[in-house]
């Protein structure tokens, strides 16, 4: 409950315009701990550096809730350009996108623009032998995101597109069961949005228990799972689970955030596990940065110290 109250307080304060203006003006040097840079070249360089430690990359151009079709199409073009640049650099493109950033909820020519642009992006990624993960956003977007995920899997296959389930949502276990006919590639996260207690579990112990159930169910179904957590107790439990159930290391990977627990990422890679870092980049970094700060009280002090030095 304390974790929930802390996160709510940070996200409420960070939503104030004057706070955003202050942080944007003073904290970019601090934000670079969590954000690879403001352009694709910086992000691809981060991938190269991680590859040296045996760690893969998952690139995410930051941005969400784009208000106009023109801006949505512009954002989609930037993602397509990222795929082109990664392929040209010899990096198998693996990207995450928020469907709201490419037009989800806006109808153009009789179709949801988010789905139209996602088709373009997944098609390009498949052409290059790459992969697209449809990020999950706040709870009002879950139904439409899962429906569009189903459409894209039916068109491009589950080897080219995946999505995310959030363990703090009460509905996620039912969503997992409903997706099983697709044999989906899923990333399991705890959830970082400020959600009402009517839809999201307020207690960390419940969220953690839900997380384990989702991961184990996906593994037992024989589907690929991205275990996206820095929680070492969960990571150790997953290691024991796969040994006990004879699950191949080719059927899962650990995913962590860029700039957080690099030591743990390297340690897991050295142990022979597949590890992938979620690498955000772009100028629209504030919302993502705020959610990272809301995860741990120590992150607030890190930011304050950096701003005072600036």
């Amino acid at each position: 409950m304390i974790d929930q109250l802390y996160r709510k307080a940070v996200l409420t304060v960070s939503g104030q315009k004057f706070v955003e203006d202050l942080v944007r003006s003073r904290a970019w040097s601090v934000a670079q701990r969590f954000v690879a840079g403001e352009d694709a070249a910086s992000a691809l360089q981060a991938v190269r550096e991680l590859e040296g430690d045996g760690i893969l990359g998952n690139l995410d151009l930051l941005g969400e809730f784009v208000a106009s079709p023109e801006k949505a199409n512009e954002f989609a073009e930037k993602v397509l350009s990222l795929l082109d640049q990664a392929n040209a650099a010899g990096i198998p493109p693996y990207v995450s996108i928020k469907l709201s950033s490419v037009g989800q909820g806006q109808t153009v020519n009789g179709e949801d623009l988010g789905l139209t642009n996602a088709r373009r992006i997944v098609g390009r990624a498949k052409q290059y032998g790459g992969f697209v993960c449809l990020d999950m956003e706040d709870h009002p977007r879950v139904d439409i995101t899962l429906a569009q995920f189903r459409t894209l899997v039916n068109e491009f296959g589950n080897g080219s597109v995946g999505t995310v389930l959030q363990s703090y949502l009460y509905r996620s276990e039912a969503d997992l069961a409903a997706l099983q006919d697709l044999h989906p590639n899923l990333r399991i996260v705890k959830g970082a949005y400020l959600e009402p207690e009517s839809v999201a579990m307020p207690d960390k112990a419940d969220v953690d228990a839900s997380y384990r159930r989702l991961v184990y169910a996906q593994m037992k179904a024989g589907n690929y799972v991205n275990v996206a957590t820095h929680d070492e107790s969960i990571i150790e439990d997953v290691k024991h689970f796969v040994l006990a159930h004879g699950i191949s290391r080719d059927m899962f990977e650990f995913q962590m955030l860029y700039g957080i627990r690099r030591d743990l990422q390297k340690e897991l890679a050295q142990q022979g596990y597949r590890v992938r870092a979620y690498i955000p980049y772009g100028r629209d970094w504030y919302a993502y940065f705020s959610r990272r700060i809301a995860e741990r009280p120590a992150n607030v002090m890190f930011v304050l110290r950096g701003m005072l030095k600036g």
Side-chain angles (χ1 to χ4, degrees), residues 118-297:
R119 279 195 177 102
R120 299 168 62 207
I121 292 167
V122 176
R124 185 75 58 86
K126 184 172 184 177
Q127 174 187 334
Y128 294 145
F131 187 83
V132 178
C133 181
L134 308 179
D135 272 347
M136 195 57 72
E137 303 180 64
D138 55 352
H139 80 274
R141 292 184 178 269
V142 174
D143 282 329
I144 187 172
T145 298
L146 292 181
Q148 292 177 346
F149 170 63
R150 178 172 289 276
T151 297
L152 292 166
V153 171
N154 287 335
E155 293 181 11
F156 296 98
N158 59 17
S160 298
V161 61
T163 193
V164 179
L165 293 180
Q166 301 170 106
S167 72
Y168 71 170
L169 295 182
Y170 291 110
R171 61 174 291 168
S172 289
E173 287 186 70
D175 288 333
L176 176 63
L179 291 171
Q180 287 306 304
D181 62 301
L182 299 177
H183 303 289
N185 180 313
L186 296 176
R187 181 196 304 155
I188 309 299
V189 303
K190 293 185 180 181
Y193 289 89
L194 181 59
E195 299 282 20
E197 292 186 16
S198 59
V199 301
M201 304 170 193
D203 294 331
K204 181 180 184 298
D206 293 333
V207 175
D208 289 353
S210 171
Y211 190 98
R212 288 177 170 87
R213 289 194 298 271
L214 289 168
V215 169
Y216 297 163
Q218 177 75 347
M219 287 182 164
K220 289 171 73 173
N223 300 324
Y224 197 88
V225 58
N226 306 283
V227 183
T229 184
H230 301 91
D231 188 325
E232 291 187 71
S233 66
I234 289 179
I235 290 170
E236 288 303 312
D237 285 350
V238 168
K239 289 180 181 179
H240 293 307
F241 184 88
V242 299
L243 282 174
H245 292 83
I247 294 167
S248 169
R249 292 188 181 186
D250 290 333
M251 293 304 296
F252 72 98
E253 64 188 55
F254 292 109
Q255 293 194 357
M256 300 185 192
L257 299 174
Y258 177 78
I260 299 179
R261 292 305 309 271
R262 180 75 175 269
D263 59 326
L264 181 57
Q265 295 177 34
K266 292 170 65 174
E267 179 183 329
L268 288 168
Q270 289 167 358
Q271 291 173 358
Y273 293 100
R274 184 178 293 132
V275 180
R276 193 179 306 273
Y278 181 91
I279 305 173
Y281 75 98
R283 295 182 178 180
D284 193 12
W285 51 266
Y286 180 74
Y288 173 84
F289 181 61
S290 297
R291 291 194 290 273
R292 299 290 75 77
I293 299 309
E295 288 174 343
R296 296 176 64 243

Side-chain angles (χ1 to χ4, degrees), residues 11-193:
L11 292 177
T12 299
V13 171
S14 67
Q16 303 298 313
K17 183 66 166 60
F18 78 92
V19 174
E20 178 176 350
D21 291 343
L22 176 63
V23 173
R24 282 187 175 277
S25 67
R26 300 278 295 178
W28 170 238
S29 61
V30 180
Q32 289 180 86
R33 169 179 170 178
F34 307 104
V35 180
E38 294 195 341
D39 57 27
S42 299
L44 292 172
Q45 178 59 34
V47 174
R48 286 294 192 212
E49 292 172 0
L50 289 168
E51 285 179 340
D53 290 324
I55 299 167
L56 302 169
N58 173 6
L59 293 165
D60 180 18
L61 173 59
L62 294 172
E64 50 196 280
F65 308 124
V66 173
S68 71
E70 293 77 18
K71 290 292 185 181
N73 289 332
E74 179 183 327
F75 194 95
E77 288 296 333
K78 290 179 180 179
V79 178
L80 290 167
S81 175
L82 170 64
L83 294 171
D84 293 341
Q85 291 179 65
N87 182 65
I91 297 172
Y94 189 120
V95 303
S96 287
I97 61 170
K98 288 180 172 60
L99 289 172
S100 68
S101 69
V102 294
Q104 187 183 72
Q106 303 175 49
T107 301
V108 176
N109 297 325
E111 182 175 76
D112 186 90
L113 183 59
L115 180 57
T116 301
N117 278 325
R119 279 195 177 102
R120 299 168 62 207
I121 292 167
V122 176
R124 185 75 58 86
K126 184 172 184 177
Q127 174 187 334
Y128 294 145
F131 187 83
V132 178
C133 181
L134 308 179
D135 272 347
M136 195 57 72
E137 303 180 64
D138 55 352
H139 80 274
R141 292 184 178 269
V142 174
D143 282 329
I144 187 172
T145 298
L146 292 181
Q148 292 177 346
F149 170 63
R150 178 172 289 276
T151 297
L152 292 166
V153 171
N154 287 335
E155 293 181 11
F156 296 98
N158 59 17
S160 298
V161 61
T163 193
V164 179
L165 293 180
Q166 301 170 106
S167 72
Y168 71 170
L169 295 182
Y170 291 110
R171 61 174 291 168
S172 289
E173 287 186 70
D175 288 333
L176 176 63
L179 291 171
Q180 287 306 304
D181 62 301
L182 299 177
H183 303 289
N185 180 313
L186 296 176
R187 181 196 304 155
I188 309 299
V189 303
K190 293 185 180 181
Y193 289 89

